[in-house]
Amino acid sequence: MKKILLIHGPNLNLLGKRDKNHYGDLTLKNIEDLVTGEATKYEIEIETFQSNHEGTLIDWIQQHSEKANGIIINPGALTHYSYALHDALFDTELPCVEVHLSDVENREEWRKISVTAPACIAKISGKKELGYIEGLKLLIKA
Ligand code: DQA
């Protein structure tokens, strides 16, 4: 495992300002720095990307997955309906881990559904930023 893509979907650029009960206090930059710092211990490079647009995320995944060994993704609300993002992740043939800051299993009914998780080796939710570190460790073992 040499390079991992850390991808965030819609509205996650506003972390730090969004509902702190669900998403915690950290900004997106804080989370990216946390994961990058942890990955450095394992000599893994982290490449980060965030977009509010489904197609932009898919284009970026297609352009960057060939040189990567795994993906950590928080797809935001796209989790619940983007079959296109599911297919983009599946088509990379890379081990992917889906991470949610909030406990999506215990919120609105529609948040319990993930159409992207079947393209992933694991789905981690409700552990705030620690979910990303758990995801990183799962990928290292994958
Ligand atoms: C989220 C959960 C989603 O339901 C929501 O739309 C988000 C963030 C999370 O990290 O808990 O934007 O993916």
Side-chain angles (χ1 to χ4, degrees):
M1 192 71 44
K2 286 189 181 146
K3 188 195 260 197
I4 291 175
L5 309 178
L6 174 61
I7 303 169
H8 284 87
N11 299 306
L12 293 163
N13 55 314
L14 293 183
L15 287 176
K17 291 186 194 147
R18 292 185 79 186
D19 184 335
K20 295 187 180 181
N21 284 331
H22 284 307
Y23 305 122
D25 295 323
L26 299 191
T27 63
L28 181 57
K29 170 95 172 51
N30 294 154
I31 290 176
E32 289 173 346
D33 288 349
L34 180 79
V35 178
T36 302
E38 187 67 21
T40 306
K41 296 181 195 165
Y42 302 92
E43 297 183 354
I44 294 169
E45 184 192 341
I46 300 287
E47 194 166 354
T48 64
F49 186 67
Q50 187 276 333
S51 176
N52 292 327
H53 305 281
E54 183 183 34
T56 307
L57 286 162
I58 292 168
D59 286 343
W60 195 87
I61 289 167
Q62 289 181 359
Q63 285 156 11
H64 291 79
S65 56
E66 267 183 29
K67 290 191 179 140
N69 308 103
I71 296 177
I72 300 172
I73 185 163
N74 181 343
L78 290 173
T79 304
H80 314 300
Y81 63 89
S82 178
Y83 295 104
L85 184 57
H86 166 281
D87 285 355
L89 293 171
F90 184 84
D91 289 347
T92 65
E93 298 181 1
L94 293 174
C96 304
V97 174
E98 179 169 308
V99 176
H100 299 283
L101 293 152
S102 69
D103 184 5
V104 283
E105 307 304 331
N106 288 297
R107 297 182 65 190
E108 300 94 328
E109 282 301 306
W110 57 269
R111 287 190 207 270
K112 293 182 185 166
I113 297 159
S114 172
V115 303
T116 45
C120 300
I121 59 167
K123 174 185 163 191
I124 300 164
S125 59
K127 298 185 177 173
K128 302 249 168 39
E129 61 276 4
L130 296 181
Y132 293 89
I133 303 299
E134 192 175 318
L136 174 66
K137 293 194 174 157
L138 281 178
L139 284 181
I140 290 168
K141 282 193 216 141

